[in-house]
Amino acid sequence: MPRRRRHDPERRQRLIDAAIRVVGRDGIAGLSHRTVAAEADVPLGSTTYHFASLDELLIAALRQTNEGFAELLRGSEALADPEADLAAGLARLMGEWLAGERTGVELEYELYLAALRRPALRPVAAEWTDGVVEALSGRTDPATARALMALMDGICVQVLLTDTGYDEAFAREMLARVLLG
């Protein structure tokens, strides 16, 4: 059994990581202070010390999981190079993300869509959407960026929910249509 320390500066992060693992394995319905404490191998009181409510814990988990796609987007050549084919770059980027660890992609969307039932998560979901729109706005106007974001979300949700393969050519064509106006 690992030695427990009174001063544990990494404990908050370990709790967030544990919450992500619990939701990834058992869904949001399986998340409780008790399951997170057990997963992180910390006393139950640690979860309520760092996170007064499950919503606070879910907010921290959502912020962390949102970094997956955001990191890919920030490093995207399609956004950095004004001469790059934006539709092709975004379609390729979505393909890379969807080809990653399926559980991680599903987890990001599960946390993102949890905002439907948990109003406390809505500002974080909006932050993520606004961040993507802001990044896309460097290559197009804000309204088109928002339309691109909506289309990318829709394509990703359809791929996840229907277990169909990702069709990069289709995504590229539809993104190009939005860009053409």
Side-chain angles (χ1 to χ4, degrees):
M1 179 174 202
R3 194 178 90 164
R4 299 182 199 270
R5 299 177 299 176
R6 280 180 107 33
H7 178 67
D8 184 357
E10 303 297 318
R11 186 168 290 188
R12 185 176 195 284
Q13 183 60 51
R14 286 199 340 261
L15 290 167
I16 295 167
D17 294 340
I20 290 169
R21 288 191 303 274
V22 168
V23 172
R25 183 183 61 235
D26 304 327
I28 289 176
L31 187 75
S32 69
H33 285 290
R34 187 171 308 285
T35 58
V36 171
E39 182 72 25
D41 192 28
V42 300
L44 179 59
S46 289
T47 62
T48 56
Y49 173 80
H50 289 283
F51 303 98
S53 69
L54 285 179
D55 282 347
E56 282 184 26
L57 183 55
L58 280 169
I59 286 168
L62 180 56
R63 279 202 169 104
Q64 184 167 313
T65 58
N66 282 348
E67 279 304 304
F69 186 75
E71 188 176 307
L72 278 175
L73 191 60
R74 280 192 297 271
S76 170
E77 201 176 293
L79 292 181
D81 180 1
E83 299 300 316
D85 180 343
L86 183 57
L90 292 174
R92 185 175 44 258
L93 188 70
M94 285 189 338
E96 289 173 21
W97 186 64
L98 288 166
E101 180 197 355
R102 176 76 180 219
T103 303
V105 174
E106 288 173 355
L107 173 65
E108 283 189 52
Y109 266 100
E110 183 169 2
L111 287 169
Y112 179 61
L113 294 173
L116 292 170
R117 300 269 187 231
R118 293 179 178 261
L121 297 178
R122 289 179 188 162
V124 181
E127 281 173 23
W128 181 76
T129 299
D130 291 345
V132 172
V133 167
E134 183 179 324
L136 294 172
S137 292
R139 289 287 315 273
T140 188
D141 65 275
T144 301
R146 191 158 294 283
L148 289 169
M149 175 67 211
L151 177 58
M152 291 188 306
D153 257 351
I155 290 171
C156 290
V157 167
Q158 285 179 359
V159 168
L160 293 171
L161 293 179
T162 62
D163 286 326
T164 57
Y166 173 66
D167 184 343
E168 187 172 321
F170 170 78
R172 182 177 54 250
E173 181 181 336
M174 294 303 108
L175 290 163
R177 288 182 185 188
V178 169
L179 284 164
L180 288 173

